[in-house]
Amino acid sequence: VWVFLRSFVWIPLLGFILVLILGPRFIAANVLLVRDKKGVFESATLSWKGTKGYWLKIIGNVIVAMIIAWFLSFAVGLLLAPLAFIAGSIATILQSIVGYFVTAWTTIFTVKLAETILEHPKAG
């Protein structure tokens, strides 16, 4: 157990810190990879350069999007709660469908945010 804790427990903590610091800088890499048909490393490099100075904007927008997605899922869950007593499987299916829509909306939001940042590079 000690070897496992010493060897692997730091990974989630360090991973979370790295994602928080580096993740916003690579938010546009997938857009560049698909839209401009760049290579993986070239997309990552262009994303790193193109998002310089936008770290706070990206983090702020992603946090707001996460709050909206959570609130929407929570609200639909509250609306479907009475249905769960009557027809539990239907409520579960509807909640899953809402989850898919929330995931799609979050993905579209992230792509549009990346496109907006790439279209308006900061000087300097």
Side-chain angles (χ1 to χ4, degrees):
V1 172
W2 172 245
V3 171
F4 172 77
L5 291 175
R6 187 185 67 202
S7 300
F8 298 108
V9 168
W10 61 272
I11 293 173
L13 179 63
L14 182 63
F16 178 74
I17 292 169
L18 286 174
V19 165
L20 189 62
I21 294 170
L22 300 177
R25 294 298 302 270
F26 293 113
I27 195 169
N30 58 354
V31 174
L32 292 166
L33 183 71
V34 174
R35 184 187 71 186
D36 297 345
K37 296 180 178 34
K38 304 284 184 185
V40 173
F41 292 110
E42 187 179 5
S43 296
T45 303
L46 291 173
S47 177
W48 183 267
K49 291 176 184 175
T51 56
K52 184 176 182 175
Y54 283 106
W55 186 86
L56 194 57
K57 178 181 179 176
I58 294 168
I59 288 292
N61 281 309
V62 168
I63 289 172
V64 169
M66 287 173 30
I67 290 170
I68 291 170
W70 176 83
F71 182 75
L72 179 64
S73 296
F74 182 74
V76 170
L78 284 177
L79 292 173
L80 293 176
L83 183 62
F85 291 115
I86 300 167
S89 59
I90 293 173
T92 304
I93 291 169
L94 291 174
Q95 186 67 28
S96 297
I97 291 170
V98 169
Y100 294 139
F101 279 113
V102 167
T103 301
W105 177 81
T106 312
T107 304
I108 293 167
F109 178 86
T110 305
V111 169
K112 291 297 182 184
L113 175 64
E115 287 177 344
T116 301
I117 289 170
L118 290 173
E119 290 171 3
H120 305 292
K122 284 195 173 184

